[in-house]
Amino acid sequence: MRSGLETKHLKVLLVDDDEALRALLKEYLREKGMKVTSAKDGAEAMEAIEREKEGFDIVLADLVLPLKGGLEILRQVKKKTEATQVVIMTGYASLESAIESMREGAFDYITKPFKLVELEIVINKIAERKKLIDENHHLAERVQSLYARLDLLKDNRSKLDRFISETSEKLERHSKKIDECLNLLSRLTFRYERSERPTPLLPPPSNDTTIT
């Protein structure tokens, strides 16, 4: 199994009533850096699912178990979250059981007895899928953030355009008032200049003026 970030730190719930197999798989998965919780029957598995608030990354469950079987565990997991991938282990291989588990939402199934390399392939597929989902989620968050920033820029642009428009209108009104004031000042200046000019005097009457 590739021991990269894809499989390390995955949280796995291992459910099997075969104590020897459960111990073997638990040790194997832990050696690969996974955090493993084990359960010997369906009831313990249900309790573990409810306790794990953030959910398991993988549930590896036997199809036939005491108290509650693998399909019941699968349904319970899917009620809680779609993010958890369930792999069904079955020693009673049949097309019907395989189709049923896949129809209920299982990621895959493994027929007992199986080699560890088969489990390795399935877990690597799940890890790759999880990596892609995480990357898509991260990209979606970035896109959402960019849209929010774009909306903010649009809002700021709208405010700026409104400010420019209002300021232009004010400047135009002030310009008109200034023109009016200049025009008034020009008329007053003209009147003042005319009032300062000396008024021509009439010549005095001469002595030889004949009065009739």
Side-chain angles (χ1 to χ4, degrees):
M1 185 180 299
R2 288 177 294 176
S3 56
L5 291 175
E6 295 89 351
T7 57
K8 276 188 176 180
H9 312 301
L10 290 175
K11 290 183 292 184
V12 180
L13 174 61
L14 172 62
V15 193
D16 200 297
D17 58 341
D18 185 331
E19 186 174 351
L21 178 60
R22 192 169 69 249
L24 173 65
L25 293 178
K26 186 175 181 179
E27 181 180 0
Y28 173 73
L29 295 173
R30 282 183 171 174
E31 284 179 355
K32 304 305 177 183
M34 300 180 208
K35 181 181 177 182
V36 184
T37 301
S38 63
K40 66 179 183 295
D41 55 45
E44 282 190 3
M46 295 295 191
E47 291 175 3
I49 291 167
E50 290 303 315
R51 281 198 311 270
E52 187 60 44
K53 293 181 180 180
E54 295 181 359
F56 292 97
D57 295 307
I58 301 172
V59 173
L60 187 60
D62 195 9
L63 181 64
V64 179
L65 290 164
L67 303 180
K68 293 182 183 293
L71 286 179
E72 290 177 279
I73 294 171
L74 169 62
R75 294 183 188 115
Q76 183 66 21
V77 168
K78 292 303 175 182
K79 279 182 183 178
K80 185 173 183 179
T81 175
E82 288 292 329
T84 301
Q85 302 304 321
V86 180
V87 179
I88 296 295
M89 300 181 292
T90 175
Y92 304 87
S94 69
L95 182 59
E96 183 180 351
S97 64
I99 291 174
E100 181 65 17
S101 65
M102 300 296 282
R103 184 181 295 136
E104 294 283 348
F107 181 83
D108 207 342
Y109 76 98
I110 303 178
T111 305
K112 291 181 178 180
F114 58 84
K115 296 179 180 180
L116 292 177
V117 68
E118 295 178 59
L119 180 60
E120 174 184 337
I121 291 170
V122 173
I123 290 179
N124 278 332
K125 286 181 180 177
I126 293 173
E128 289 290 344
R129 185 177 186 275
K130 182 178 184 300
K131 180 182 176 183
L132 289 173
I133 290 173
D134 290 344
E135 288 177 350
N136 286 342
H137 181 68
H138 178 66
L139 288 173
E141 287 181 341
R142 288 189 61 188
V143 169
Q144 189 65 30
S145 175
L146 288 172
Y147 273 122
R149 291 176 63 185
L150 181 59
D151 288 340
L152 180 61
L153 288 172
K154 286 181 178 178
D155 184 56
N156 289 339
R157 175 60 186 272
S158 177
K159 290 178 179 178
L160 179 60
D161 289 343
R162 188 162 59 251
F163 172 76
I164 292 173
S165 176
E166 291 173 354
T167 303
S168 297
E169 290 176 1
K170 288 179 181 179
L171 288 173
E172 186 175 354
R173 289 197 299 270
H174 290 166
S175 178
K176 287 181 179 179
K177 288 181 179 179
I178 291 172
D179 288 341
E180 291 174 358
C181 290
L182 289 174
N183 189 30
L184 177 60
L185 182 60
S186 177
R187 291 200 302 271
L188 290 174
T189 301
F190 178 74
R191 289 180 182 178
Y192 175 77
E193 288 177 348
R194 288 192 62 185
S195 66
E196 287 294 310
R197 292 175 186 173
T199 304
L201 298 175
L202 292 173
S206 60
N207 292 331
D208 56 353
T209 300
T210 303
I211 299 175
T212 59

